Amino acid sequence: MRTREDYLEEVETRLARMFRASRDGHKASPVDRHRLEGFIQAGSFLGLASKDELQSLMARVHFEVFGKSIEERQSEQANSWVLESIDYSQYDQPAYERGRI
């Protein structure tokens, strides 16, 4: 018979595996993400862990893998897509005229 501790250990293992894959540049498949979400929801439904306990576990494992909180990482990812301001005015002139000296 599995115990609450077995369940929490398995959640931690699965979270760590998914976070390490993400850290290493591998996006989790939708199937794997949904399986993990379902496993977590089932444990909550069965009373093996509360939603707050599971969120805390997720935050701790995320910090162990990435060295930063989920919020910090999300903020960094959002900022990494800011487009640079590129001056394209040099291309306003036709190409055949730009080539003249």
Side-chain angles (χ1 to χ4, degrees):
M1 175 72 84
R2 299 290 179 170
T3 66
R4 167 186 154 79
E5 288 74 28
D6 293 333
Y7 169 74
L8 291 173
E9 186 176 308
E10 183 64 20
V11 170
E12 183 173 351
T13 299
R14 291 180 185 203
L15 284 168
R17 185 180 320 128
M18 188 162 297
F19 287 150
R20 281 193 304 270
S22 177
R23 177 195 64 198
D24 296 341
H26 306 287
K27 185 173 181 172
S29 73
V31 170
D32 290 338
R33 278 195 343 268
H34 293 309
R35 280 186 183 148
L36 178 56
E37 290 170 5
F39 189 73
I40 290 171
Q41 287 179 350
S44 178
F45 176 78
L46 293 171
L48 296 172
S50 71
K51 183 177 177 180
D52 289 340
E53 286 176 301
L54 292 166
Q55 286 177 337
S56 178
L57 176 62
M58 182 182 296
R60 181 178 58 78
V61 173
H62 185 278
F63 192 85
E64 289 172 1
V65 171
F66 290 101
K68 58 187 86 171
S69 72
I70 294 170
E71 295 79 15
E72 289 172 323
R73 186 161 166 260
Q74 286 173 339
S75 175
E76 287 175 1
Q77 287 178 331
N79 293 333
S80 70
W81 287 98
V82 175
L83 298 176
E84 295 178 16
S85 177
I86 300 174
D87 180 14
Y88 289 103
S89 64
Q90 67 177 343
Y91 300 106
D92 290 342
Q93 184 180 21
Y96 65 89
E97 289 180 8
R98 279 183 276 156
R100 292 186 183 168
I101 298 178

